[in-house]
Amino acid sequence: MFFRGNSATLESLVLEADHDDIVKLVDRGVFTPTSHPKLRHVKITLIEYYDQEGDDEYKEHLWQLLSIAPNAAVRSILGSNQSSMICSAISTFRGFPNIQILDISDVTLELWEAITLIQYLPLLSDLHTGLVCLSEFPVNVQVDELPMYVLAKYAPMGQRFRCWHVTRYGIFDFKTVECVLLVALICPNFDHCVPPKDHFAQFMKELVMCIRSDEFKDHEPRLRRLLFNK
């Protein structure tokens, strides 16, 4: 119905799927973690998407679809606002050990979700996300204590992680810069953040301001590498 050819040799897959397609693909066994062993590049675009947070069966189907080709190095998941579902699938099942590039450009992430992705994808070098926000704080941790908190709890991690593409930048802009700096503290090789082109100057200005703020000034030598963004 969907594919003709040799699934054993397929290396690249671009798929658009709505809710009904996902159910059919999974129920008919078109995709399993072992059905396409040569897949290296997977792009899934979820169309006609609607909120299914309360639909456990749908979550299970989507998890199974996202789990195809666990050895793929490049994976794109577009058209989904389900950041919690994607992060949960990765952290719970740990089924994507070889991902080097993850493109979830439509997804708005909390800082802690971004950290989860980097933490459980050991080969990740490039991450593409939408807006990154910081609205939830650990218990008894103040804003100015966040740098020391993340250093103590997470560092070092993401040894391969180097580049973060932020595809949207707006109302939470300063918080996005703050999140980038917190990740830079715990990922020793992260030195390149790419904002949208039309917000590059604004991003760099706020990056400088944030590095020099009371919150981050003690870590300025470590963070200055991000100022050489190109």
Side-chain angles (χ1 to χ4, degrees):
M1 177 178 177
F2 289 91
F3 297 97
R4 299 182 183 211
N6 189 347
S7 61
T9 60
L10 185 67
E11 295 184 359
S12 181
L13 172 68
V14 178
L15 174 69
E16 290 189 354
D18 61 17
H19 176 272
D20 291 338
D21 293 331
I22 291 172
V23 173
K24 290 176 183 176
L25 285 166
V26 173
D27 286 348
R28 297 180 185 185
V30 176
F31 291 115
T32 69
T34 59
S35 60
H36 298 77
K38 297 291 186 180
L39 265 180
R40 300 295 295 158
H41 182 284
V42 179
K43 180 178 181 180
I44 299 173
T45 301
L46 303 176
I47 57 177
E48 297 180 11
Y49 188 79
Y50 57 98
D51 189 5
Q52 292 284 339
E53 282 287 357
D55 188 339
D56 290 338
E57 183 180 5
Y58 176 74
K59 288 181 183 180
E60 181 64 29
H61 281 88
L62 184 54
W63 277 333
Q64 291 182 53
L65 183 62
L66 298 181
S67 296
I68 65 174
N71 294 320
V74 181
R75 185 176 295 270
S76 300
I77 307 166
L78 305 177
S80 172
N81 63 359
Q82 298 278 18
S83 62
S84 60
M85 185 182 298
I86 294 171
C87 293
S88 177
I90 289 174
S91 61
T92 302
F93 300 109
R94 304 188 187 186
F96 313 96
N98 295 315
I99 290 182
Q100 298 170 29
I101 301 173
L102 178 63
D103 185 348
I104 47 174
S105 299
D106 295 338
V107 173
T108 294
L109 290 179
E110 277 281 338
L111 168 67
W112 315 111
E113 292 174 327
I115 289 175
T116 295
L117 292 176
I118 299 169
Q119 189 173 25
Y120 288 104
L121 297 175
L123 299 185
L124 185 68
S125 63
D126 290 68
L127 177 63
H128 300 244
T129 70
L131 199 66
V132 188
C133 56
L134 180 56
S135 60
E136 299 178 3
F137 291 82
V139 177
N140 298 323
V141 176
Q142 304 301 315
V143 173
D144 59 354
E145 297 172 333
L146 280 171
M148 294 308 299
Y149 173 83
V150 297
L151 279 168
K153 186 173 178 63
Y154 298 106
M157 58 174 271
Q159 300 290 339
R160 302 284 188 93
F161 184 60
R162 182 178 177 273
C163 188
W164 191 349
H165 298 254
V166 180
T167 61
R168 293 199 304 277
Y169 194 67
I171 188 170
F172 299 111
D173 44 18
F174 195 77
K175 288 296 184 184
T176 295
V177 172
E178 189 174 28
C179 291
V180 168
L181 293 180
L182 289 169
V183 170
L185 285 177
I186 59 180
C187 297
N189 297 309
F190 170 43
D191 61 3
H192 200 67
C193 185
V194 183
K197 290 182 179 179
D198 55 344
H199 289 286
F200 181 84
Q202 178 189 3
F203 175 84
M204 294 305 296
K205 177 181 177 181
E206 289 170 353
L207 187 66
V208 171
M209 291 173 56
C210 203
I211 289 175
R212 294 174 178 172
S213 68
D214 290 342
E215 185 179 350
F216 289 100
K217 64 183 180 182
D218 291 341
H219 308 281
E220 182 173 351
R222 186 171 184 170
L223 298 172
R224 286 187 60 83
R225 64 184 185 270
L226 287 169
L227 297 178
F228 298 96
N229 250 330
K230 297 294 182 182

